[in-house]
Amino acid sequence: MRFAAAVLLALLAGPATAQEQTTTVEPHAAIFRRLSAAVVGISCSGSTSSGAPSGFYGTGVVVSPDGLVLTDLTVVPKDGRDVKVYFTDGRVMAAELKRVDAPSEGVLVKVGGNSLTHMKLADSSKARLGDPCYSWGNPYLTIQRDG
């Protein structure tokens, strides 16, 4: 998915070349400490493709300091309601569905806030084979259960 590649590249966005990035990337633990607060759990109500009501949950990433959160249609369907965003520090915020891009399966929701830890999106067309990247997740509601 296009938006997922952009999120994964978010850590390496900047003017450095691929070779320069390889030599200047922070150690993995430091990257985790700096950016993991931008990874959030999400839950909501909605309808399945057959129209049956259901509960949805998954992962998102804060992509702006004012609370835009990028996620996926499998986490927040186009009729998503009662959207809640769970932060690793224990905060839970209500979110508003802002935009759905069906071709990329991308969804933007918005929580209140300012100066939130976020990941800067990068241009995924600049990704090259071998570039470092990281994947973040929320398996089995880990963020909601234990941060």
Side-chain angles (χ1 to χ4, degrees):
M1 291 182 272
R2 283 179 249 146
F3 81 91
V7 170
L8 293 176
L9 290 172
L11 300 173
L12 302 176
T17 66
Q19 186 172 12
E20 291 169 331
Q21 288 175 342
T22 302
T23 60
T24 61
V25 171
E26 297 175 51
H28 307 297
I31 290 171
F32 176 81
R33 283 190 301 274
R34 185 167 53 93
L35 293 171
S36 64
V39 180
V40 296
I42 299 175
S43 68
C44 73
S45 306
S47 300
T48 64
S49 58
S50 67
S54 187
F56 294 81
Y57 69 92
T59 309
V61 64
V62 181
V63 295
S64 71
D66 65 342
L68 282 177
V69 178
L70 181 62
T71 191
D72 188 275
L73 275 172
T74 61
V75 178
V76 178
K78 60 185 172 189
D79 71 338
R81 57 194 177 282
D82 302 320
V83 181
K84 290 186 177 49
V85 175
Y86 300 81
F87 290 82
T88 56
D89 64 4
R91 288 178 296 161
V92 179
M93 298 178 144
E96 178 185 353
L97 181 60
K98 293 303 249 183
R99 180 129 189 219
V100 174
D101 181 61
S104 71
E105 297 183 11
V107 175
L108 275 176
V109 299
K110 175 93 167 64
V111 297
N114 55 20
S115 301
L116 294 175
T117 300
H118 64 285
M119 291 190 200
K120 180 180 169 192
L121 294 179
D123 182 349
S124 60
S125 71
K126 294 181 181 174
R128 300 292 173 252
L129 184 61
D131 285 350
C133 67
Y134 292 84
S135 177
W136 308 76
N138 182 28
Y140 306 108
L141 300 170
T142 300
I143 294 171
Q144 289 92 316
R145 290 183 180 163
D146 61 21

